[in-house]
Coordinates of all heavy atoms in Angstrom, one line a residue:
T1222 N 144.1 123.4 75.6 CA 143.2 122.4 75.9 C 141.8 122.9 75.7 O 141.5 124.1 75.9 CB 143.3 121.9 77.4 OG1 143.1 123.1 78.2 CG2 144.7 121.4 77.7
Q1223 N 140.9 122.0 75.2 CA 139.5 122.4 74.8 C 138.6 121.6 75.7 O 138.5 120.4 75.6 CB 139.2 122.1 73.4 CG 140.1 122.9 72.4 CD 139.8 124.3 72.5 OE1 138.6 124.7 72.7 NE2 140.8 125.2 72.3
P1224 N 137.9 122.3 76.7 CA 137.0 121.6 77.6 C 135.9 120.8 76.8 O 135.5 119.7 77.3 CB 136.4 122.7 78.4 CG 137.4 123.8 78.3 CD 138.1 123.7 77.0
A1225 N 135.6 121.2 75.7 CA 134.5 120.5 74.9 C 134.9 119.1 74.5 O 134.1 118.3 74.1 CB 134.1 121.3 73.7
Q1226 N 136.2 118.8 74.6 CA 136.7 117.4 74.2 C 136.8 116.5 75.4 O 137.2 115.4 75.3 CB 138.0 117.5 73.5 CG 138.0 118.4 72.3 CD 137.0 117.9 71.3 OE1 136.9 116.7 71.1 NE2 136.2 118.8 70.7
A1227 N 136.5 117.0 76.6 CA 136.6 116.2 77.8 C 135.3 115.8 78.4 O 134.3 116.0 77.7 CB 137.5 116.9 78.8
V1228 N 135.3 115.3 79.6 CA 134.1 114.8 80.2 C 133.1 115.9 80.5 O 133.5 117.0 80.9 CB 134.4 114.2 81.6 CG1 133.2 113.6 82.2 CG2 135.4 113.0 81.4
D1229 N 131.8 115.7 80.2 CA 130.8 116.7 80.4 C 129.8 116.2 81.3 O 130.0 115.3 82.1 CB 130.2 117.2 79.0 CG 129.5 116.0 78.4 OD1 129.3 115.0 79.0 OD2 129.2 116.1 77.2
N1230 N 128.6 116.8 81.3 CA 127.5 116.4 82.2 C 127.2 114.9 82.0 O 126.3 114.5 81.2 CB 126.2 117.2 81.9 CG 126.5 118.6 82.1 OD1 127.5 119.0 82.6 ND2 125.6 119.5 81.7
G1231 N 127.8 114.0 82.7 CA 127.5 112.6 82.7 C 128.3 111.9 81.6 O 128.0 110.7 81.4
T1232 N 129.3 112.5 81.0 CA 130.0 111.8 80.0 C 131.3 111.3 80.5 O 132.1 112.0 81.1 CB 130.3 112.8 78.8 OG1 129.0 113.3 78.3 CG2 131.0 112.1 77.6
D1233 N 131.7 110.1 80.2 CA 133.0 109.5 80.6 C 133.9 109.5 79.4 O 133.6 108.8 78.4 CB 132.7 108.1 81.1 CG 134.0 107.5 81.7 OD1 135.1 107.9 81.3 OD2 133.8 106.6 82.6
S1234 N 135.0 110.2 79.4 CA 135.9 110.3 78.3 C 136.5 109.0 77.9 O 136.9 108.8 76.8 CB 137.0 111.3 78.6 OG 137.8 110.9 79.7
E1235 N 136.6 108.0 78.9 CA 137.3 106.8 78.6 C 136.3 105.8 77.8 O 136.7 105.0 77.1 CB 137.7 106.1 79.9 CG 138.8 106.9 80.6 CD 139.3 106.1 81.8 OE1 138.7 105.1 82.1 OE2 140.2 106.6 82.5
T1236 N 135.0 106.0 78.0 CA 134.1 105.1 77.4 C 133.3 105.7 76.2 O 132.9 105.0 75.3 CB 133.0 104.6 78.4 OG1 132.3 105.8 78.9 CG2 133.7 103.9 79.5
E1237 N 133.1 107.0 76.2 CA 132.4 107.7 75.1 C 132.8 109.2 75.0 O 132.1 110.0 75.5 CB 130.9 107.6 75.4 CG 130.1 107.9 74.2 CD 128.6 107.7 74.4 OE1 128.2 107.3 75.5 OE2 127.8 107.9 73.5
P1238 N 134.0 109.4 74.5 CA 134.5 110.8 74.5 C 133.8 111.8 73.7 O 133.8 113.0 74.1 CB 136.0 110.6 73.9 CG 135.9 109.4 73.1 CD 134.9 108.5 73.8
V1239 N 133.1 111.5 72.6 CA 132.5 112.5 71.8 C 131.0 112.2 71.5 O 130.3 113.1 71.0 CB 133.3 112.7 70.5 CG1 134.6 113.2 70.7 CG2 133.3 111.4 69.7
G1240 N 130.5 111.0 71.8 CA 129.2 110.6 71.4 C 128.1 111.6 72.0 O 127.2 112.0 71.3
F1241 N 128.2 111.9 73.3 CA 127.2 112.7 73.9 C 127.3 114.1 73.3 O 126.3 114.7 73.0 CB 127.6 112.8 75.4 CG 126.6 113.7 76.2 CD1 125.5 113.2 76.8 CD2 126.8 115.0 76.3 CE1 124.6 114.0 77.5 CE2 126.0 115.9 77.0 CZ 124.8 115.3 77.6
R1242 N 128.5 114.7 73.0 CA 128.6 116.0 72.5 C 128.2 116.1 71.1 O 127.7 117.1 70.6 CB 130.0 116.5 72.7 CG 130.4 116.7 74.2 CD 131.8 117.2 74.4 NE 132.0 117.4 75.8 CZ 131.7 118.5 76.4 NH1 131.1 119.5 75.8 NH2 131.9 118.6 77.7
D1243 N 128.4 115.0 70.3 CA 127.9 115.0 68.9 C 126.4 115.0 68.9 O 125.8 115.7 68.0 CB 128.4 113.7 68.2 CG 129.9 113.8 67.9 OD1 130.4 114.9 68.0 OD2 130.5 112.8 67.6
K1244 N 125.8 114.4 69.9 CA 124.3 114.3 69.9 C 123.7 115.6 70.4 O 122.6 116.0 70.0 CB 123.9 113.1 70.8 CG 122.4 112.8 70.8 CD 122.1 111.6 71.6 CE 120.6 111.2 71.6 NZ 120.3 110.0 72.4
F1245 N 124.4 116.2 71.4 CA 123.8 117.4 72.0 C 124.9 118.5 71.9 O 125.7 118.7 72.8 CB 123.5 117.2 73.5 CG 122.5 116.0 73.7 CD1 122.9 114.8 74.1 CD2 121.2 116.2 73.5 CE1 122.0 113.7 74.3 CE2 120.2 115.2 73.7 CZ 120.7 114.0 74.1
E1246 N 124.8 119.2 70.8 CA 125.8 120.3 70.5 C 125.5 121.5 71.4 O 124.3 121.7 71.7 CB 125.8 120.6 69.1 CG 126.2 119.5 68.1 CD 126.2 120.0 66.7 OE1 126.1 121.2 66.4 OE2 126.1 119.1 65.8
A1247 N 126.5 122.3 71.7 CA 126.3 123.5 72.4 C 125.8 124.6 71.5 O 126.6 125.4 71.0 CB 127.6 123.9 73.1
K1248 N 124.5 124.6 71.1 CA 124.0 125.5 70.1 C 123.0 126.5 70.7 O 122.5 127.3 69.9 CB 123.4 124.7 69.0 CG 122.2 123.8 69.4 CD 121.7 123.0 68.2 CE 120.6 122.1 68.7 NZ 120.1 121.3 67.5
H1249 N 122.7 126.4 72.0 CA 121.8 127.4 72.6 C 122.6 128.5 73.2 O 123.3 128.3 74.1 CB 121.0 126.7 73.7 CG 120.2 125.5 73.2 ND1 118.9 125.7 72.6 CD2 120.4 124.2 73.1 CE1 118.4 124.5 72.3 NE2 119.3 123.6 72.6
R1250 N 122.4 129.7 72.7 CA 123.1 130.9 73.1 C 122.4 131.5 74.3 O 121.3 132.0 74.2 CB 123.3 131.9 72.0 CG 124.2 133.1 72.4 CD 124.3 134.1 71.2 NE 125.1 135.2 71.6 CZ 126.4 135.4 71.3 NH1 127.0 134.5 70.5 NH2 127.0 136.4 71.7
S1251 N 123.1 131.7 75.4 CA 122.6 132.3 76.6 C 122.8 133.8 76.5 O 123.5 134.3 75.6 CB 123.3 131.8 77.9 OG 123.1 130.4 78.0
A1252 N 122.1 134.5 77.4 CA 122.2 136.0 77.4 C 123.6 136.6 77.6 O 123.9 137.6 77.1 CB 121.3 136.6 78.5
D1253 N 124.5 135.8 78.3 CA 125.8 136.3 78.5 C 126.8 135.8 77.4 O 128.0 136.0 77.5 CB 126.3 135.8 79.9 CG 126.4 134.3 80.1 OD1 126.0 133.6 79.1 OD2 126.8 133.9 81.2
G1254 N 126.3 135.1 76.4 CA 127.1 134.7 75.3 C 127.6 133.3 75.4 O 128.2 132.7 74.4
H1255 N 127.3 132.6 76.5 CA 127.7 131.1 76.6 C 126.8 130.3 75.6 O 125.6 130.6 75.5 CB 127.4 130.6 78.0 CG 128.4 131.1 79.0 ND1 128.1 131.3 80.3 CD2 129.8 131.3 78.9 CE1 129.2 131.7 81.0 NE2 130.2 131.7 80.1
F1256 N 127.4 129.4 75.0 CA 126.7 128.4 74.2 C 126.5 127.1 75.0 O 127.5 126.5 75.4 CB 127.4 128.1 72.9 CG 127.2 129.2 71.8 CD1 128.1 130.2 71.7 CD2 126.1 129.1 71.0 CE1 127.9 131.2 70.8 CE2 125.9 130.1 70.0 CZ 126.8 131.2 69.9

């Protein structure tokens, strides 16, 4: 399972499963390696 395909900060998978994530990609790399 890939968390990035499910509900995120304010995203409802039933109504908009990928729109939010397409618009706001996880491209900011944190000091511990998290994007």
